[in-house]
Amino acid sequence: MLQLFIGNKNYSSWSMRPWVLLKQAGIPFEEVLVRFDSFSEGSKFKTQIAQVSPTGKVPALVDGDLAIWDTLAIAEYLAEKFPEKRLWPQDAKARAIARSVCAEMHSGFTALRSHCGMNIEADLADIGALVWRDKPAVQADVNRLIEMWTQLLDTHKGPMLFGKFSIADAYYAPVCSRITTYALPVPSHIRAYVERVMALPGVQAWVEDALAEHDFVPFDEPYRVRGNAV
């Protein structure tokens, strides 16, 4: 059986992408949770994940003697291994666009990711308001998301970015979580898409597990002490 090595579900947006993809597509896999303690060399986390990932990061997918440590590579491998799941759009042009928007997420939106770290269990609307006021680069990232998602939803008529659920929706699920957690202002049609993604069974399963963790990782929450925003 496939094994997926992930970090804390409350915090690890990169882990969320392939986990949601596998879960939503109904592909059996074994989850291996490697909890964050420190990202320093020699930490328990680094020591354990280094056994399957040369980068020392999550996620990593293991299939027999094969280990894949990049989220896009994991998605491509799953699409090839399970063609009947139709994880990419069937139309060649749509598929090329889907790959493009996933690559854009993979390498872009750095301001949003830096200033609005994923934190599923928290209500960070106050932090989100300050970020929106003081970080124009975050506004630019969100405006790009609005532009992209609007075009895709209009073109493919929803409910997901390419009509049916695809790798692209799994890729942007952590962004939907951030928009929710930080109450970032988006138009009603984008808010509706966010709500549809958050209602997907695969996403709900991830969120339920994240809420059950009750872990507090201080270095992943520079804006909080436990139970209080600062």
Side-chain angles (χ1 to χ4, degrees), residues 7-222:
N8 291 54
K9 289 180 178 173
N10 192 51
Y11 303 112
S12 185
S13 59
W14 290 105
S15 297
M16 183 182 184
R17 293 180 172 98
W19 194 98
V20 165
L21 181 62
L22 286 160
K23 198 77 170 180
Q24 188 66 24
I27 299 171
F29 69 102
E30 177 189 353
E31 171 192 310
V32 183
L33 177 61
V34 186
R35 280 193 162 84
F36 297 150
D37 58 345
S38 167
F39 295 146
S40 302
E41 294 302 323
S43 66
K44 186 176 180 181
F45 170 79
K46 283 288 189 181
T47 300
Q48 186 173 351
I49 197 62
Q51 297 175 32
V52 293
S53 172
T55 64
K57 298 177 181 180
V58 287
L61 181 73
V62 175
D63 187 7
D65 60 356
L66 173 66
I68 310 166
W69 59 90
D70 175 86
T71 51
L72 268 179
I74 290 170
E76 291 284 10
Y77 180 75
L78 293 173
E80 292 181 0
K81 188 177 179 69
F82 302 97
E84 73 281 4
K85 298 297 184 179
R86 299 186 176 184
L87 301 180
W88 288 118
Q90 293 300 288
D91 177 76
K93 291 181 179 179
R95 191 161 61 249
I97 296 299
R99 285 189 167 108
S100 295
V101 300
C102 287
E104 185 174 349
M105 180 69 254
H106 200 269
S107 60
F109 302 102
T110 53
L112 178 62
R113 291 193 277 119
S114 297
H115 297 293
C116 299
M118 195 173 81
N119 191 327
I120 289 172
E121 63 86 21
D123 178 356
L124 298 175
D126 290 344
I127 300 297
L130 293 175
V131 168
W132 191 257
R133 184 192 70 187
D134 298 337
K135 305 295 181 182
V138 172
Q139 293 187 32
D141 280 353
V142 172
N143 288 336
R144 170 57 189 146
L145 286 167
I146 293 169
E147 175 190 39
M148 176 201 298
W149 290 356
T150 297
Q151 183 179 27
L152 293 173
L153 291 168
D154 285 348
T155 299
H156 301 285
K157 310 303 180 187
M160 298 290 108
L161 294 179
F162 291 87
K164 297 180 180 179
F165 173 81
S166 72
I167 290 169
D169 301 296
Y171 236 75
Y172 281 95
V175 175
C176 293
S177 175
R178 285 175 164 98
I179 289 172
T180 302
T181 297
Y182 293 88
L184 299 177
V186 295
S188 59
H189 69 287
I190 297 298
R191 177 68 59 185
Y193 169 69
V194 168
E195 291 173 355
R196 291 195 296 273
V197 170
M198 297 305 294
L200 290 170
V203 175
Q204 288 204 327
W206 176 277
V207 169
E208 289 172 6
D209 289 349
L211 295 176
E213 282 181 346
H214 302 300
D215 284 346
F216 178 69
V217 180
F219 63 79
D220 238 329
E221 301 202 36

